[in-house]
Amino acid sequence: MPQKTWTRDELLIAFNLYCRIPFGQLRHGNSEIIKFAEKIGRTPSALSMKLCNFASFDPSHQKRNVAGLKHSGKGDKKIWDEFNQNWEKLAFESQQALERVAGLKQIESYEELQLPDGPTETLRNVRVRLVQNFFRDSVLASYKFVCSFCSLSMTQMLCASHIVPWSKNIEKRADPRNGICLCTFHDRAFDRGLVTIDDDLKIVISDRVMKMKTSPLHDAGFVKLHGNKIILPEKFKPDEYSLEYHRSKIFINN
């Protein structure tokens, strides 16, 4: 009996799951994989292997010789390339497809979110909310739900921080490589340019902060972190363009 061809929506859902599930949990016994496999009429094993196929295209996993099916479908690579060419468009489409099969009403399925570059303005556009949710899930999963600076693992205190701000580059808005998982404390410091990351992925604390009057929080949250390497993500390592932008446009070192 010939295998059923994967539809575009099924591939979008699979890639979305690849992004939002930590790599070490891409097993057929994962509850999310079981749930969505049933929704799209696939076995958990088939969906799990599809996610592993996507991992085989990921440069961060290629270095570790991660392999998918020997003859993975052309559709898998096509979806991978589409995402990498237009993250915002595919993030929206995949999140839409995911919600559709989950039976969620898109207009009600997300909490009101705030603009990443402003504390008060509420996002009401469904497309933007879907993209934001995709970005957050992808970034947090990549870092296995820990702050990449201090290793805090309280999910309620974690943010998917944009390296290049949301308002500055449309192409980077949904790209997980333009994100880093930070606790709310370090997210605010990063957003304000008080800390940055160098080419070696080490934490750099602004001289302005280093010269401030010391306190236990200042010492633990800044001084002791200076020069430490960030906790690296399993996938979607921060790209050089984004880090250089943050160092040159946002970081304050005086």
Side-chain angles (χ1 to χ4, degrees):
M1 183 176 178
Q3 292 185 340
K4 185 175 70 170
T5 302
W6 285 71
T7 67
R8 177 176 172 78
D9 267 11
E10 289 172 348
L11 290 172
L12 286 171
I13 290 167
F15 190 86
N16 188 295
L17 292 172
Y18 168 72
C19 291
R20 66 200 294 263
I21 297 176
F23 178 73
Q25 298 177 26
L26 301 183
R27 300 180 294 271
H28 65 270
N30 179 285
S31 60
E32 284 285 281
I33 291 176
I34 292 171
K35 178 175 76 173
F36 282 100
E38 182 180 1
K39 295 286 187 183
I40 64 175
R42 300 283 177 175
T43 66
S45 293
L47 180 54
S48 173
M49 184 52 70
K50 187 63 68 174
L51 305 191
C52 291
N53 284 351
F54 288 128
S56 71
F57 302 132
D58 193 324
S60 60
H61 292 313
Q62 287 176 343
K63 293 178 181 178
R64 298 169 50 234
N65 297 317
V66 171
L69 287 172
K70 189 173 183 180
H71 301 292
S72 57
K74 292 181 179 179
D76 302 355
K77 185 62 164 61
K78 184 174 184 292
I79 289 292
W80 175 269
D81 290 340
E82 281 191 54
F83 265 92
N84 281 273
Q85 290 163 11
N86 193 333
W87 280 97
E88 197 272 346
K89 178 176 181 289
L90 273 294
F92 170 66
E93 290 182 6
S94 69
Q95 198 70 28
Q96 226 183 10
L98 195 78
E99 285 204 353
R100 190 159 50 242
V101 300
L104 298 176
K105 294 181 179 179
Q106 293 173 3
I107 197 70
E108 299 172 353
S109 58
Y110 293 107
E111 297 176 348
E112 295 292 346
L113 300 175
Q114 293 180 331
L115 280 168
D117 59 346
T120 58
E121 185 173 359
T122 301
L123 298 176
R124 301 189 184 281
N125 182 281
V126 173
R127 182 186 182 97
V128 175
R129 285 190 283 172
L130 291 172
V131 171
Q132 279 291 307
N133 202 68
F134 170 87
F135 180 80
R136 183 179 190 278
D137 287 348
S138 299
V139 172
L140 265 60
S142 295
Y143 287 84
K144 296 193 289 188
F145 302 93
V146 299
C147 173
S148 64
F149 279 18
C150 68
S151 74
L152 182 71
S153 59
M154 293 175 60
T155 306
Q156 303 93 323
M157 297 289 289
L158 297 178
C159 305
S161 303
H162 280 82
I163 302 172
V164 177
W166 170 276
S167 62
K168 299 299 183 182
N169 190 321
I170 294 175
E171 294 179 359
K172 288 290 184 182
R173 286 181 176 178
D175 186 347
R177 296 166 302 185
N178 183 42
I180 183 169
C181 182
L182 295 173
C183 66
T184 53
F185 176 80
H186 288 115
D187 169 68
R188 179 58 63 91
F190 190 75
D191 184 56
R192 296 294 185 270
L194 302 178
V195 297
T196 194
I197 302 169
D198 68 14
D199 286 332
D200 296 319
L201 299 178
K202 292 181 179 179
I203 300 167
V204 179
I205 308 297
S206 168
D207 286 344
R208 176 183 298 185
V209 175
M210 295 293 282
K211 294 174 182 176
M212 288 179 178
K213 185 176 180 180
T214 189
S215 69
L217 180 59
H218 175 267
D219 192 43
F222 291 114
V223 177
K224 289 184 177 179
L225 295 181
H226 184 65
N228 287 358
K229 195 161 188 175
I230 67 169
I231 295 172
L232 297 176
E234 291 184 311
K235 53 186 180 245
F236 305 131
K237 177 181 171 183
D239 66 37
E240 294 178 3
Y241 167 83
S242 298
L243 292 176
E244 172 56 30
Y245 182 98
H246 189 272
R247 288 193 297 267
S248 62
K249 303 291 186 182
I250 299 174
F251 184 54
I252 303 169
N253 197 30
N254 53 49

